[in-house]
């Protein structure tokens, strides 16, 4: 299965402002156990550089622009989050590199579980090995 862009439900016209929202179960395909956000990252900086063994995430950029390159060990795919009504679902087992494209961008994440460092693979060779072993 592939990661996918989700159109966030949004109300309102540009003059009056817009309101975007998620509803648990209906819009996010897992129970949300954690929400976190990343900000204050300089343009050109790279974060991520890891995969999760089990964690699923929906990520969105309410302000600014980030590029996410996901990798399943065979194929890389680029996604741009440049609009507050766009989100990306990242499935478990996918490596991700995240590049900050605009000043003051904010990246929000809804995650399927609590923080657990044991769920991370932070070494790319180890990740390829993990994929080859079919884990
Ligand atoms: C991901 C991308 C999009 C915690 O203590 N609790 C938390 O909930 C998180 C997310 C992180 N941390 C600690 C672990 C590290 O010592 O915060 C530090 C920075 O985390 P990390 O280097 O993993 O940050 P990113 O931006 O590379 O990755 C984060 C998430 O960890 C990751 O799940 O997919 O955002």
């Amino acid at each position: 299965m592939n990661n996918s862009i989700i159109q966030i439900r949004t109300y309102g016209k540009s003059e009056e402002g817009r309101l975007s929202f998620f509803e648990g179960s209906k819009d996010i395909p897992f129970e949300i156990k954690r929400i976190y956000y990343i900000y204050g990252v300089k343009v050109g900086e790279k974060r991520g550089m890891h995969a999760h063994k089990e964690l699923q995430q929906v990520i969105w950029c309410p302000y600014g622009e980030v590029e996410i390159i996901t990798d399943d060990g065979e194929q890389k795919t680029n996604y741009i989050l440049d609009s507050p009504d766009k989100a990306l679902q990242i499935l478990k087992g996918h490596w991700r590199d995240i590049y900050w494209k605009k000043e003051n961008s904010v990246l929000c994440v809804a995650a399927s579980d609590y923080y657990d460092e044991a769920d991370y693979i932070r070494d790319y060779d180890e990740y390829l090995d993990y994929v080859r072993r079919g884990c």
Side-chain angles (χ1 to χ4, degrees):
M1 248 171 90
N2 280 329
N3 302 307
S4 52
I5 290 286
I6 297 172
Q7 198 61 39
I8 305 172
R9 287 196 273 160
T10 299
Y11 279 108
K13 302 191 190 89
S14 57
E15 314 84 64
E16 68 199 14
R18 295 196 167 102
L19 184 153
S20 297
F21 64 96
F22 298 100
E23 287 182 332
S25 317
K26 293 185 190 166
D27 301 301
I28 306 257
F30 50 79
E31 185 195 343
I32 300 166
K33 290 225 179 122
R34 181 166 49 118
I35 290 177
Y36 61 89
Y37 43 99
I38 302 163
Y39 51 93
V41 181
K42 287 209 161 51
V43 171
E45 282 293 324
K46 180 184 181 186
R47 295 186 66 112
M49 297 167 280
H50 61 256
H52 285 284
K53 294 175 191 162
E54 294 300 331
L55 193 77
Q56 297 183 65
Q57 292 152 303
V58 169
I59 75 179
W60 68 101
C61 184
Y63 186 85
E65 180 178 338
V66 297
E67 179 182 20
I68 298 119
I69 302 178
T70 62
D71 180 353
D72 64 6
E74 288 182 356
Q75 199 180 327
K76 295 186 189 208
T77 311
N78 288 50
Y79 300 93
I80 299 281
L81 293 180
D82 58 355
S83 165
D85 64 358
K86 216 197 262 186
L88 173 67
Q89 181 184 3
I90 307 184
L91 303 171
K92 69 177 188 176
H94 287 245
W95 187 269
R96 81 287 315 268
D97 293 329
I98 304 169
Y99 295 89
W100 256 251
K101 298 300 222 187
K102 280 197 182 148
E103 211 64 58
N104 298 321
S105 297
V106 178
L107 186 65
C108 298
V109 182
S112 64
D113 215 336
Y114 305 118
Y115 175 72
D116 177 11
E117 187 58 37
D119 188 63
Y120 285 72
I121 305 172
R122 292 190 185 268
D123 179 272
Y124 191 66
D125 289 335
E126 194 187 310
Y127 171 67
L128 291 179
D129 205 41
Y130 180 82
V131 171
R132 275 189 218 108
R133 284 188 278 112
C135 298

